Amino acid sequence: MNFIAQVVWIFPKFETIYLFYIFLMGVAAFIYVKVMNYLQNKQTSVVNHWVEFQRYATARKCNQQELNILHSFYDHLSEDEREIYLLPENRNKLKNALYRYFLKSNTNTTEKEVDLFDKLFRSGVEFKKEILSLNDLTVGEVAALEADGREELTYVMQKTTDELLLSMKGLSKDLLVPGKEAKLYVFRPSSGGYLLEGTVIRTNESGVIFHFNGRIERKGESHLMLMDKVSLTVAPWPPPDEKKQVLELDKNKLLFTEENIDKQLDVLKRIAKDQREHNEKRFEMKETPTAFITMSERLSDRGILFAFPAGISSEIWKLQDLWEVSFSLENGPIFHIRAKMMPTKQKSDLYLLRYVDADETVRKSLYEEIRKRGGVREVLT
C-alpha cells in the first residue's frame, strides 16, 4: 500500500488570534516607517537650519572665521532652539543666547565676539555710523571692557552724555575696582573698532558705571591714508624681457623678385591714397605700457590715488593688467607692491592703483608708517 496515500492531511483552522498578530506586524511596520522618516527629516532639518543661519550671517558681512565661531555656537543648541532663533522676530533671543554662550566660552577673543555682535544685530542705519561720542552708542550694545591687559564681555544698560552703566555679568571682581582706568571697545563694520577711554567710578549689584573722558582711539579694521605727496615709480609688471632679440635679415642679401616689387608698389599706392584722404590715424604709433614717475595724491594701506605726468597717455592702463608701484616714506622702508590700475569715478584726471599682492605683514607695516605720519581715515574713491 502506498504510504503517502495513507497520510491524512489536516489543515490548520484560522484562529482569531492570527488577526491580532497581523495587526501587530502592521503597527510595527508603520512605526518603523514613521521613525525612519522622522530621523531623515530631522537630519535634513538640521542641515537646513544651519544653511539658513549661515545665509543670514553671510548677508551681515561675517567672514569665514566668524562663521566658524557661529557654527560652534549652533552645534551646542538643541533642535528646538535652532528653529526658534532663526525666526526674524526672535533676533533678541538669538542675541541673548549668543551672549550667554560667549560668557561660558574662552575659545574666542573678546574683541572678535564684539565684532560679531555688531555685524549680526546692528541696524542698517547704525551699520555705517562712526563713534564720535556716547550718543553714538546704543542701549543693549555689546562691548568689551579692557583693563590690566584683559578684555571681558559686557553690554550697555543705560547711558548719559559722559557715563555708561555696564552689565556686571561676566566681569571679574578685580576689574571693577573704583578708580581703575579702563577702555571700552566697540565696533562698527563700516569703520572698524574704537576704544573709549575712561575710568570705573562706581559699582553695585546691578552694574558698573564707566565715566568717559572724551578720548576715542581707533583700533583695527579701519584703513588710513596719507594726504602728503609721495614720489611713485610705476612700471608694467611683469617687466618686458630685455633679452628678447629681434631677428632681422641682412638687407644686402634680400632677393628682389618681380613679385616682391609688385607687392611693394601696391602697398605704396594704398599709403598714398590714405594720405590724400587725410586718414592719418592709420599711421599713428600705438601706445605701449611704459614706466613713469609721478606723485601720489592720497596713499593708503590698500591703494594709491595719482595723476599721470605730462607725456604719459592716461590710456595705457587699458593695455596692461598689473603694475608694480615702488615708493618709500621718509625714514621708512621701501615698498614694492603689485597693483591693478583703474580710473576713479569722481575725477577723470585721478587714477587708482589698488594693491593685489600686499600680504598682511606688508599692509600692517604700511599702515603703521601712515599712522605715525598723521594718517586720516581712508577715502580713495
Side-chain angles (χ1 to χ4, degrees), residues 146-352:
E146 301 187 3
D148 300 333
R150 294 154 45 204
E151 306 92 25
E152 297 188 4
L153 210 59
T154 184
Y155 63 90
V156 179
M157 299 172 68
Q158 291 180 358
K159 65 173 186 174
T160 65
T161 53
D162 57 358
E163 289 183 351
L164 296 172
L165 176 61
L166 305 175
S167 168
M168 287 186 65
K169 292 179 182 178
L171 293 179
S172 305
K173 290 184 178 180
D174 61 337
L175 207 64
L176 307 177
V177 179
K180 182 187 287 290
E181 292 186 356
K183 294 180 180 180
L184 191 71
Y185 176 79
V186 292
F187 179 80
R188 292 294 180 273
S190 63
S191 53
Y194 297 82
L195 285 174
L196 284 67
E197 298 182 11
T199 310
V200 174
I201 58 172
R202 285 195 306 278
T203 63
N204 57 33
E205 294 179 357
S206 61
V208 51
I209 294 180
F210 173 80
H211 180 79
F212 174 51
N213 65 18
R215 289 194 293 273
I216 299 177
E217 173 190 347
R218 287 184 179 271
K219 183 175 182 179
E221 293 299 319
S222 60
H223 299 279
L224 300 179
M225 68 178 180
L226 197 62
M227 301 297 290
D228 298 343
K229 291 186 179 295
V230 176
S231 177
L232 311 171
T233 300
V234 184
W237 191 91
D241 187 0
E242 295 178 358
K243 295 181 181 180
K244 188 176 180 180
Q245 296 179 352
V246 180
L247 297 178
E248 292 185 355
L249 296 174
D250 187 346
K251 294 180 181 179
N252 295 322
K253 295 181 181 180
L254 288 177
L255 296 176
F256 289 96
T257 65
E258 185 175 340
E259 183 182 359
N260 288 339
I261 293 173
D262 289 341
K263 286 182 179 179
Q264 292 178 29
L265 286 173
D266 287 340
V267 171
L268 290 172
K269 287 177 182 177
R270 285 198 299 272
I271 292 175
K273 181 181 177 183
D274 286 331
Q275 288 177 334
R276 284 196 303 272
E277 295 174 357
H278 303 289
N279 190 7
E280 299 298 331
K281 287 186 177 180
R282 293 192 57 179
F283 306 98
E284 289 180 358
M285 294 294 291
K286 291 183 178 180
E287 286 288 349
T288 56
T290 183
F292 59 90
I293 297 174
T294 187
M295 303 296 288
S296 68
E297 296 293 330
R298 302 176 198 166
L299 186 149
S300 89
D301 58 317
R302 293 196 297 177
I304 304 172
L305 278 185
F306 73 97
F308 282 104
I312 299 294
S313 170
S314 60
E315 296 297 308
I316 63 173
W317 71 273
K318 300 177 181 178
L319 308 176
Q320 180 73 22
D321 187 38
L322 292 176
W323 299 78
E324 183 175 63
V325 56
S326 304
F327 60 92
S328 63
L329 304 177
E330 187 177 358
N331 300 322
I334 299 175
F335 294 93
H336 302 282
I337 307 175
R338 260 68 65 187
K340 277 189 171 292
M341 188 184 297
M342 60 196 75
T344 59
K345 296 178 182 179
Q346 293 179 332
K347 290 189 176 182
S348 59
D349 59 332
L350 287 183
Y351 286 75
L352 173 65

Side-chain angles (χ1 to χ4, degrees), residues 9 44 60 74 107 118 137 167 256 263 317 336 372 374 381:
W9 295 93
T44 305
R60 302 290 293 185
Y74 180 83
T107 7
D118 207 284
L137 271 64
S167 168
F256 289 96
K263 286 182 179 179
W317 71 273
H336 302 282
K372 288 189 294 187
T381 57

